[in-house]
């Protein structure tokens, strides 16, 4: 028979994991809501996704699958080109719709021109997430790999509408 103390400990652990899951889901939903709150940005983002990321593909058995947005990791507003208007960087993760293990990150920059966003450039930031924009650098950081606690920082610069890694 399981002791009362063990039962209580199990309940506490379950409550903790359940509450962390809810918080994480709410956080992801908040980021999607943040993106959707700007109709011009949301519209151009969806067009970018459809044109550049989604790409329907057939698997080895002839079944169709596509690249699907896993989650929105962040929506950041800043004036990257010093024109007085807030531009937007959206970062998100992508996976295959067939449930495979293919997964990658995307960061896409949209320029604000007279309150209308237009696609500027995108890239895959190598397992790092956006940290800050420090003119003229887009700074990303993250762990080098799953088995290391070492944080790596990478700088990118936008040159002729292409992100170039500086370090």
């Amino acid at each position: 028979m399981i002791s009362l103390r063990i039962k209580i400990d199990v309940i506490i652990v379950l409550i903790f994991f359940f509450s962390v899951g809810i918080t994480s889901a709410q956080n992801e939903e908040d980021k999607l809501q943040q993106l959707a709150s700007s109709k011009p940005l949301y519209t151009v983002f969806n067009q970018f996704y459809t044109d550049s990321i989604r790409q329907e593909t057939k698997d080895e058995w002839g079944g169709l699958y596509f690249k699907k947005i896993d989650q929105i990791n962040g929506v950041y507003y800043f004036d990257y080109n010093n024109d007085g208007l807030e531009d937007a960087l959206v970062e998100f993760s992508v996976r295959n719709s067939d449930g495979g293990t293919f997964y990658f990150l995307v960061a896409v920059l949209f320029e604000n021109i007279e309150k209308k966003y237009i696609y500027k450039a995108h890239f895959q930031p190598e397992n790092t997430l956006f940290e800050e924009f420090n003119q003229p650098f887009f700074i990303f950081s993250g762990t080098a790999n799953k088995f290391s606690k070492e944080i790596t920082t990478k700088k990118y610069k936008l040159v002729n509408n292409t992100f170039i890694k500086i370090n």
Side-chain angles (χ1 to χ4, degrees):
M1 182 167 211
I2 300 176
S3 75
L4 180 60
R5 180 67 192 154
I6 292 174
K7 287 180 183 178
I8 291 172
D9 289 344
V10 168
I11 290 170
I12 290 171
V13 169
L14 288 174
I15 289 171
F16 172 75
F17 282 116
F18 183 69
S19 65
V20 168
I22 288 174
T23 302
S24 176
Q26 287 174 340
N27 192 19
E28 292 169 21
E29 184 68 24
D30 290 346
K31 291 174 184 173
L32 179 59
Q33 289 298 326
Q34 181 185 6
L35 177 59
S37 70
S38 169
K39 186 172 180 171
L41 180 58
Y42 189 67
T43 301
V44 74
F45 173 79
N46 280 325
Q47 189 64 53
F48 163 77
Y49 163 70
T50 301
D51 294 346
S52 302
I53 303 295
R54 191 172 192 283
Q55 305 168 1
E56 284 189 2
T57 309
K58 287 187 178 183
D59 62 20
E60 59 268 22
W61 300 283
L64 283 177
Y65 68 93
F66 58 93
K67 291 177 179 56
K68 176 180 179 178
I69 295 173
D70 183 51
Q71 72 180 33
I72 304 295
N73 297 322
V75 180
Y76 306 96
Y77 295 95
F78 50 86
D79 184 7
Y80 89 92
N81 56 359
N82 293 318
D83 66 356
L85 299 172
E86 281 195 322
D87 307 299
L89 181 98
V90 179
E91 65 180 354
F92 59 101
S93 56
V94 176
R95 64 180 173 84
N96 284 344
S97 65
D98 66 354
T101 58
F102 187 73
Y103 180 89
F104 62 95
L105 298 171
V106 177
V108 59
L109 180 65
F110 297 99
E111 185 176 350
N112 185 343
I113 298 178
E114 299 176 9
K115 297 186 180 181
K116 181 178 180 183
Y117 289 98
I118 63 162
Y119 166 81
K120 192 68 175 175
H122 76 281
F123 74 110
Q124 295 178 20
E126 301 176 20
N127 297 325
T128 56
L129 295 174
F130 182 73
E131 189 74 29
E132 69 176 311
F133 176 73
N134 189 351
Q135 183 74 356
F137 301 110
F138 296 82
I139 301 169
F140 287 73
S141 67
T143 55
N145 62 52
K146 294 178 185 177
F147 306 108
S148 170
K149 291 186 179 184
E150 177 185 343
I151 301 293
T152 182
T153 300
K154 297 179 182 185
K155 289 183 183 178
Y156 298 86
K157 187 175 180 181
L158 192 64
V159 178
N160 296 324
N161 297 335
T162 302
F163 283 98
I164 305 295
K165 188 162 70 169
I166 301 302
N167 54 343

